[in-house]
Amino acid sequence: MANVNEDRYVGPVMRKGEIGDAVIEAIQEDNKGRDIIIEEHESYFRIKVEGECLLRFETVGDMLGSDVASSDIESAMPAFEGFIRVSTDQIRFLSK
């Protein structure tokens, strides 16, 4: 029997803007080899990564050209899909 969580997509919903754009670029960099879907809506992006989505603060900072803390990302992230794990250097969205 197949695991129903295998094909589950997880990731953040980001408000459009500088941080949202940087998060998209960082997720594409930090999750190479994973299926990534970006849904663009009027005022936000829904970023969907198959199984697990890794977002490193250092990568987002590289995209922005300045240091980034979890609070910077969280303030531009009104929602997310999956289980979230936040540490000092990254956010992980997990399907299980």
Side-chain angles (χ1 to χ4, degrees):
M1 185 165 143
N3 184 345
V4 294
N5 286 329
E6 284 178 344
D7 297 323
R8 182 171 175 201
Y9 284 82
V10 297
V13 173
M14 299 299 300
R15 289 186 182 95
K16 285 189 174 180
E18 187 177 34
I19 291 178
D21 292 340
V23 165
I24 289 172
E25 291 180 50
I27 285 175
Q28 292 170 331
E29 179 69 26
D30 290 340
N31 295 277
K32 289 185 177 177
R34 292 192 182 272
D35 187 24
I36 300 171
I37 300 169
I38 310 294
E39 294 177 357
E40 185 173 357
H41 298 273
E42 187 70 27
S43 62
Y44 67 92
F45 298 103
R46 181 176 297 278
I47 306 161
K48 298 161 67 171
V49 182
E50 188 174 18
E52 178 181 347
C53 176
L54 175 63
L55 179 59
R56 292 186 178 113
F57 303 145
E58 181 179 9
T59 309
V60 178
D62 289 346
M63 302 304 168
L64 286 172
S66 62
D67 290 341
V68 173
S70 64
S71 60
D72 299 320
I73 295 170
E74 290 168 359
S75 67
M77 181 178 67
F80 61 90
E81 177 67 31
F83 300 99
I84 189 170
R85 301 286 183 264
V86 181
S87 66
T88 57
D89 62 343
Q90 67 185 12
I91 299 174
R92 290 176 58 215
F93 303 89
L94 307 166
S95 64
K96 52 184 173 175

